Amino acid sequence: MSIVTAISAGAMAFSATNIDDLVILTLFFSQVNAKFRRWHIIIGQYLGFTALILASLPVFFGGLILPCPWMGLFGLVQIIIGIKSLMDQGGDESEDVETDPEVAERSLWAKFFNLQTYSVAAVTFANGTDNISIYVPIFASSN
């Protein structure tokens, strides 16, 4: 595969898989208020993306061991997770947790690592797992 083909395939895959990320980030930024700040979104996005990279490393190193045709089977992991989530949908009922604004303003770490930041990171991670299932076969087939 030539470098021009590789760059164009990578750019197309990136743009196709990240349009939904832009929509979600736009929705997050439209909800900014006194409790949900811009830095919560930015830090949450970086935390979620870092978690995606860390989750991708075993697949990358597994690609060095597994033969190329088997790499396509990693897409089944996403389907299994989706079916499991669908089956367990009614079982989890979570309660809303109120945070104390005085405690959040006292600590510098509490400003950056609070429930809003982790919510953005969780959405980023959940939304990015489909990207991994797209990128793994593309990168596994290239040399």
Side-chain angles (χ1 to χ4, degrees), residues 8 10 29 35 43 47 53 55 60 65-66 68 95 112 119 138:
S8 64
F29 279 113
K35 286 187 177 183
I43 292 173
L47 283 175
I53 291 172
F60 170 72
I65 299 169
L66 293 174
C68 186
E95 298 178 15
F112 292 113
S119 297
I138 290 173

Side-chain angles (χ1 to χ4, degrees), residues 45-135:
Q45 180 73 14
Y46 278 113
L47 283 175
F49 193 73
T50 302
L52 279 170
I53 291 172
L54 292 175
S56 300
L57 286 178
V59 177
F60 170 72
F61 289 120
L64 298 175
I65 299 169
L66 293 174
C68 186
W70 287 31
M71 293 301 288
L73 295 175
F74 282 114
L76 293 176
V77 173
Q78 304 299 319
I79 295 171
I80 292 169
I81 290 171
I83 291 172
K84 183 180 180 309
S85 297
L86 182 65
M87 297 298 178
D88 295 339
Q89 192 173 18
D92 284 337
E93 295 293 327
S94 62
E95 298 178 15
D96 291 334
V97 177
E98 293 287 329
T99 58
D100 187 13
E102 294 176 9
V103 174
E105 291 182 11
R106 281 187 240 149
S107 170
L108 179 64
W109 288 108
K111 279 185 173 182
F112 292 113
F113 300 110
N114 59 17
L115 184 61
Q116 289 86 0
T117 304
Y118 288 126
S119 297
V120 173
V123 169
T124 301
F125 185 81
N127 191 36
T129 54
D130 63 336
N131 299 0
I132 294 173
S133 65
I134 299 292
Y135 294 146

Side-chain angles (χ1 to χ4, degrees), residues 7-64:
I7 290 174
S8 64
M12 292 295 286
F14 181 79
S15 62
T17 57
N18 286 304
I19 290 173
D20 56 345
D21 293 334
L22 293 175
V23 172
I24 289 174
L25 282 174
T26 303
L27 290 172
F28 277 137
F29 279 113
S30 71
Q31 297 174 358
V32 170
N33 59 23
K35 286 187 177 183
F36 190 52
R37 305 288 176 120
R38 287 186 190 117
W39 67 75
H40 295 145
I41 300 167
I42 294 168
I43 292 173
Q45 180 73 14
Y46 278 113
L47 283 175
F49 193 73
T50 302
L52 279 170
I53 291 172
L54 292 175
S56 300
L57 286 178
V59 177
F60 170 72
F61 289 120
L64 298 175

